Amino acid sequence: MDYILKTFGLVKKYKKQLAVNEADMTICRGDIYGFVGENGSGKTTIIRLITGLVFPDSGRFELFGVPHDSIGIQTARRKVGAVVESPSIYPNMSAYDNLKMQCMILGIPADNKISETLNEVGLGYLLKDKKQAGDFSLGMRQRLGIAMTLLGDPEFLILDEPMNGLDPAGIVEIRELILKLNRERKITFLISSHILSELSLVATKYGIISRGHIIKEITAAQLQVELAKTTDITVEQPERLISLFDGLLPETSISYILGGIRITGEIDLNTVLSTIIKEEIRIISVNCHESSFEDYYLKTIGGKRS
């Protein structure tokens, strides 16, 4: 497996406050890693540790296989782009001048790079526009911030709450941009967000953090299994149910529960109940349940937290 980032027991304290508590996380090349946690859970602190804005008190991490405390970490970080908390743009400059300044900082020729990058993030119409970035909408500023990171051709892009405060159209634009960059540029993403419904539309893997500790990592495919619809059916003769449905529900899994069976997956409930009734098996109860990502998240962290 080709890893972009691995952390091992990462710890960060601010005075007596434990911001990151022995955090272990793994991000593989090609992942869109959704970083989920309540406010103050440690998401931004871990991002700051990865990007070198702060240093760990203990534990370690590797970026592109390079240990964080080795001389090569600065070279590894050149493959990383980040928009942390808010885009670092010059509000009194145009989109073009912001990118030109960034090219100068990076020591790369602007040439066609600026127009290509603006087009890539959907801001090509601003190429010759003198409108100052401070007058842009929040969504435009987010895309400009991403454009500035793209000038360095990053392999790993870190976005801290990129959809926070955006209107519905802006959220869709950022979502589509993330998917496009992952698909076309093969960029790996770490995205922290508390908008779980939107994150679920892009993430291929999730890390759930609470009180500084990453308590769960799960792929999108594994999460779908966890969230699958379940139907519990209890009857007077439960031993007859497994054989009754053997081979009849290929897209589901069937397991025993006390007094009946649990069917996991989508079913035609009327057909299932009719089949049971035709066999003259008396139905005692039917209970259908489908979890949301929010339900799963709250269950994982142990309930609602402020």
Side-chain angles (χ1 to χ4, degrees), residues 33-288:
Y33 188 102
F35 203 18
V36 183
E38 68 271 23
N39 291 336
S41 61
K43 300 189 300 296
T44 299
T45 301
I46 286 181
I47 288 173
R48 287 176 172 273
L49 288 165
I50 295 165
T51 54
L53 297 176
V54 296
F55 301 96
D57 292 310
S58 63
R60 61 189 178 89
F61 67 87
E62 295 177 359
L63 191 60
F64 295 96
V66 179
H68 80 276
D69 54 356
S70 75
I71 195 169
I73 193 63
Q74 294 305 323
T75 300
R77 284 200 175 106
R78 291 174 189 163
K79 303 177 185 179
V80 180
V83 180
V84 181
E85 294 184 330
S86 61
S88 297
I89 58 178
Y90 301 96
N92 60 337
M93 291 185 179
S94 67
Y96 178 88
D97 288 339
N98 265 278
L99 294 185
K100 186 176 180 180
M101 178 65 73
Q102 186 69 3
C103 285
M104 293 173 62
I105 292 170
L106 294 174
I108 60 176
D111 297 333
N112 297 323
K113 191 86 171 177
I114 292 177
S115 60
E116 290 172 358
T117 305
L118 283 173
N119 284 324
E120 193 168 26
V121 300
L123 296 177
Y125 62 92
L126 292 176
L127 180 61
K128 298 182 179 180
D129 196 318
K130 297 301 181 182
K131 182 178 181 179
Q132 294 183 348
D135 296 325
F136 290 177
S137 69
L138 181 55
M140 291 168 65
R141 292 200 298 272
Q142 286 284 20
R143 283 186 282 158
L144 180 58
I146 292 173
M148 292 176 74
T149 69
L150 293 178
L151 290 173
D153 294 319
E155 296 179 34
F156 183 33
L157 192 51
I158 300 171
L159 304 179
D160 188 16
E161 300 283 0
M163 302 169 190
N164 192 26
L166 299 185
D167 60 24
I171 289 174
V172 171
E173 289 169 354
I174 294 297
R175 181 209 310 159
E176 291 179 348
L177 178 58
I178 290 167
L179 292 171
K180 175 185 175 183
L181 293 173
N182 179 255
R183 180 178 65 250
E184 296 180 2
R185 281 221 198 184
K186 310 301 181 187
I187 293 176
T188 301
F189 281 87
L190 167 60
I191 304 171
S192 77
S193 181
H194 63 273
I195 307 176
L196 303 187
S197 58
E198 280 302 323
L199 200 56
S200 66
L201 296 176
V202 297
T204 60
K205 184 179 181 180
Y206 301 92
I208 298 176
I209 183 171
S210 183
R211 296 176 179 173
H213 186 65
I214 296 173
I215 53 181
K216 184 79 172 182
E217 287 191 312
I218 187 170
T219 67
Q222 290 169 335
L223 180 63
Q224 286 305 307
V225 172
E226 294 282 349
L227 301 183
K229 182 177 181 179
T230 60
T231 305
D232 293 347
I233 304 173
T234 58
V235 296
E236 284 190 342
Q237 297 170 290
E239 68 280 354
R240 296 178 57 191
L241 289 187
I242 290 287
S243 58
L244 179 61
F245 290 108
D246 186 32
L248 293 181
L249 302 171
E251 300 300 319
T252 67
S253 65
I254 301 176
S255 57
Y256 280 111
I257 60 172
L258 183 63
I261 58 171
R262 170 168 294 165
I263 305 173
T264 302
E266 290 293 333
I267 62 171
D268 183 334
L269 184 58
N270 287 333
T271 300
V272 169
L273 296 181
S274 295
T275 302
I276 296 172
I277 291 169
K278 285 179 182 178
E279 291 296 315
E280 298 183 347
I281 301 173
R282 183 171 177 271
I283 298 171
I284 298 172
S285 68
V286 179
N287 182 28
C288 300

